[in-house]
Amino acid sequence: MKGLVRLRLVRMGRMRQPVYNIAVGKKRGKIDGVPIEVIGTFDPTPTPLSTAQKEAGVKPIKNVQLDFERAKYWLAVGAQPSESVAKLLKKAGVL
């Protein structure tokens, strides 16, 4: 019974401008199908920096929005994250 549900990235957005939904879905279900729940979004393109920020050595930030409570719930229930979602959850401090 364990491992029937996965947390994974579902690609949205336009051509060459991807935005990913962090979705909960069946392990063998369609990736683009209707997910059980969408718990967040991930924008892999970093926000542009001004020249002053570049000179100061500021690193560009990739936008991640995540519902921490729902992510913890699904992990507690037994949902398995994909490799890419696991990396995001580790950076966010959930795993």
Side-chain angles (χ1 to χ4, degrees), residues 23-91:
V24 180
K26 293 182 180 179
K27 183 176 182 178
R28 300 203 182 261
K30 287 175 38 177
I31 292 175
D32 295 332
V34 179
I36 296 172
E37 183 178 2
V38 176
I39 60 171
T41 59
F42 170 59
D43 187 2
T45 54
T47 55
L49 298 176
S50 66
T51 55
Q53 290 174 329
K54 289 179 185 177
E55 292 172 357
V58 176
K59 292 185 178 180
I61 299 171
K62 296 179 181 180
N63 189 14
V64 177
Q65 297 175 348
L66 181 65
D67 186 358
F68 292 103
E69 297 300 320
R70 295 305 293 171
K72 289 178 184 178
Y73 166 77
W74 282 107
L75 291 171
V77 168
Q80 298 294 314
S82 66
E83 290 181 22
S84 53
V85 173
K87 288 179 187 178
L88 291 174
L89 294 176
K90 284 179 186 176
K91 284 186 179 182

